Amino acid sequence: MKLKFDSNLDYQTEAVNAVTDLFKGQNAMHQYFTVTGQATLDSGQGIGNKIDISHEDILENLRKIQSYHKLAPSESLPSLDFNIEMETGTGKTYVYLKTIFELNKKYNFTKFIIVVPSVAIKEGVNKTIEITKEHFKNLYDNVIYDHFVYDSSKLEQVRNFAVNSNIQIMIINIDAFNKSFKDPSKETKANIIHREQDKLSGYKPIDLIAETNPVVIIDEPQSVMGGKGEEAVSYLNPLCTLRYSATHKEIQNLIYKLDAVDASEMELVKQIEVAGFVSEGFHNDAYLKLISTNNKKSPITAKIEIDANVKGSIKRKAVTVKQGSDLSEAKLGNRDVYNGYVVDEIYCEEGNEYVTFTQKDEILRIGKVFGDVDDLKLKRAQIHKTIEEHLDKELAFAKAGKQIKVLSLFFIDKVANYRQYDEEGNPIKGPYAEIFEEEYKKVIKKPKYSTLYNYVDLDLEASEAHDGYFSVDKKGKVKDTKETKAGKVRANKDDESTFNLIMKDKERLLSFDTKLKFIFSHSALREGWDNPNVFQICTLNETTSTMKKRQEIGRGLRLCVNQDGERIHDKNTNILTIMANESYEDFARNLQQEIEDETGIKFGTIQKTAFAHIPWINKKGNEEPLGKQHSLAIFNHFKLKKYIDSKGKIQEALKVAVRDGTIDIPEDYESIRPEIVEVVEKPTKGIKIRPAKQRRQVKVNKHVYLSPEFKQFWDSIKHKTTYAVEFDTDELVEKCITAMEDSLNVKAPKLIYTKSGVTIKAAGVIPDENGYITTAYSEEDEIALPDIVTYLQNETDLTRRTIVRILTESDTLNQFKKNPQEYMQQTAKLINKVMSMMIVDGIKYTKIDDSYSQELFKNDELFGYLERNMIEAQHSVYDHIIYDSEVEKEFAKSLDNDPEVKLYTKLPGWFKVDTPLGSYNPDWAVMLDKDGETNLYFVVETKGSTDYLALRPTEQAKIDCGRKHFEALGTNVHFDVADTYEKFKTDVVD
């Protein structure tokens, strides 16, 4: 099978535009340099990237981008380094590859280098480029491009990179060029890329690359730029660096932000549920678990979790001990089972921490538990539940007719636990492999799975259902992959071949033709795993793991695909189950702490710069971002009002004010109240992680579903419609002219004059960074004018006659002469914006015979979580209502308790109204019994606000289309918008 890619995802398009818009005003151009030849190679002309706009222009573009994306504006631009934050699983690699093609299309940039921190990511990027080749060729008119992974034994690729005029994409590991840049005494230890090469006529490969002035894309900069990474990248002489990560450690100029909270709320990744394992009642032995050690002050201490006797009850608690501490003492364990547990040594080396006792053999290591459930029994339970969850998903998908392959992933830290070798070197099953097959045979025999595996050989089925991906040594035996203390893979050729295999098998594993579906892999190889159809992840490590929870869930966050390779956007399908060896609450708490530590998100906190991006009108009457000083003023006002503490942590008073709509805002900023309130609301949200035990399947309420009233009601709204669009050309021309005259602001191309002093030192010739830059002249009359009418025809689908009218009557063609490309782009955008609004105004719907069958309700596979996103219902078609917001929750409660409501339903996702702006799915269908005589039918959209201007233009337009659709049915169905049930009953019904 082949994976399919969607080029029209709004959030990805915005991430691409955030980069390309930095260079608005830039002309398409190259710079050229000479590459000297030798006996076997001719001399050639090198081709590089070039920019012809000033840093001031880029800074102006940057601040506009930041304002649009609600980010704090940069005050200055000392370097062209830009950060793009994208949560794991949202298509970061696809985004920067598409950015490459857009930068080429708009500005003719051709030289691109992708710098990666590890072998795993290098292989992943290379694989993505390969599988997207056909997609991007179709998207960009068969543009010619080359990509290669830098290999120091193939330096002819570097020369080709320099002289080829087509798009060139080099993928390089930071380890290939971060050693011994310029010290002659270390020449033999330097990376080959820094050494002079006869094959390149005496050039150092790095110098040839630097001449091209490449756009450098840094994948995971927090790993690339450590140590000598920053200096190493500077030797590439980048035109700019684009730094992509979900966890930036340093922010240069942030231009796009899609964090963990955004991705979860927008349903761009799988929802997360956790199945935890917590022991209860295992208090007969001496329970011991090392939490941490501390040598920062004397005496050295350790924190150990024990089962202590507290006022006659056994309580699990953490105690702090030092050398000589007796765990049986009254102030510690106060129990006889701890006799002899006197602390001997506390060892604090990072990654090798342990505690020993004077009279006991146990060596406590972090994460290793004594005196609790037998470790192998815990692993068996984890494996069993993983198999069960896996088969439940397969069964649910099969019943719903969803052609989706389910995969489960087990991480282990010792290969011998899965595969061992006998005396003759033949592979045999390790304990985890044996446990898997035993539990698989048990689970699959349950009657409910009989439809999945009728008449199969269970022994053969169990052995074919699982396999391992591990590094292999020269003798062909699997081996453990080593990690640094920081959790980074110490990759060698064996590991590299494993990453290659994982990537090569990525698409094969997604096919039903492959029986393998339970995968075991070394936890150190976690970066290599990123398969969209991983629905269960189970970590079976024996000792403490350097794998963080964000890394763990990141392997399965991507939205799944079906057998046609199409991405499935359905939140009820996209659920990732984590088999945790801790409680759901602990997992959630630790995950949130990791997100705060790694991403800068502070849950329940307002930052001092939180309001800096908000646009407002300054005292001079100009619109600009609020800025850091004004943001700080609002922050300090909130402190005075006791809304937040000195660190910005939200207090109860602010929560109440948000709920009641009574936030006190300084008078100077009252004009931007809605924007301030919007900023204040987000930090109160966290990532939703749902406990598996609260998961429930939604079922049809037969009492309502089979009633004649529901049949009568459904018959009134079930029909589909088609639409046609009419609009007046003269009106379109007038509106386009007005928009162009009000909004067009085209700047002429500029020639930038730069003057900089230089200082000659032993280290080299160093330019003065505080040079002088100004505009020498603006070029207007000498620019050749392109065929603007044909360009706008292709971009808008309007006739040439209409385009000519708009251009000639708008009185803006003088700006076309200033900068033709920018004028054409701005004009096309304005015309399309006007057209999209007019299309909705002129739309007409017609009822057709096709309709949504009532039977579809019975085919729905809906799941929710009690106390999280679902409530019980008596008068609905379903026995539970799954809600997406507090507004929907309260609306559902009110519907169910209103005696005038005969029946209602939250309209399923398959009930859609076609519109020119995409499908529209209304929220509710309601049948009211008015005065005991008349049945009234309503379709209701619930929004947090019914203020038409507060809704996004696309939302407004879809609602307008929905209203016209139901009018066209001719069945007296009323359609309206309500933000509360009271408003629905008073304003809509009455």
Side-chain angles (χ1 to χ4, degrees), residues 28 110 542 590 654 882:
T110 56
E542 281 190 351
N590 293 332
L654 183 56
I882 297 177

Side-chain angles (χ1 to χ4, degrees), residues 439-457:
E439 296 305 312
Y440 186 87
K441 291 172 190 175
K442 287 179 190 176
V443 176
I444 205 171
K445 287 179 181 177
K446 291 184 178 182
K448 67 176 179 178
Y449 302 129
S450 61
T451 55
L452 289 176
Y453 300 106
N454 270 329
Y455 313 112
V456 299
D457 181 337

Side-chain angles (χ1 to χ4, degrees), residues 744-763:
L744 273 180
N745 181 23
V746 178
K747 294 182 179 179
K750 301 170 184 175
L751 175 66
I752 306 301
Y753 170 71
T754 303
K755 183 170 70 174
S756 174
V758 294
T759 305
I760 301 175
K761 293 184 177 181

Side-chain angles (χ1 to χ4, degrees), residues 326-338:
D326 185 344
L327 296 185
S328 67
E329 290 178 358
K331 64 180 180 180
L332 294 176
N334 195 24
R335 295 180 66 202
D336 291 343
V337 294
Y338 290 109

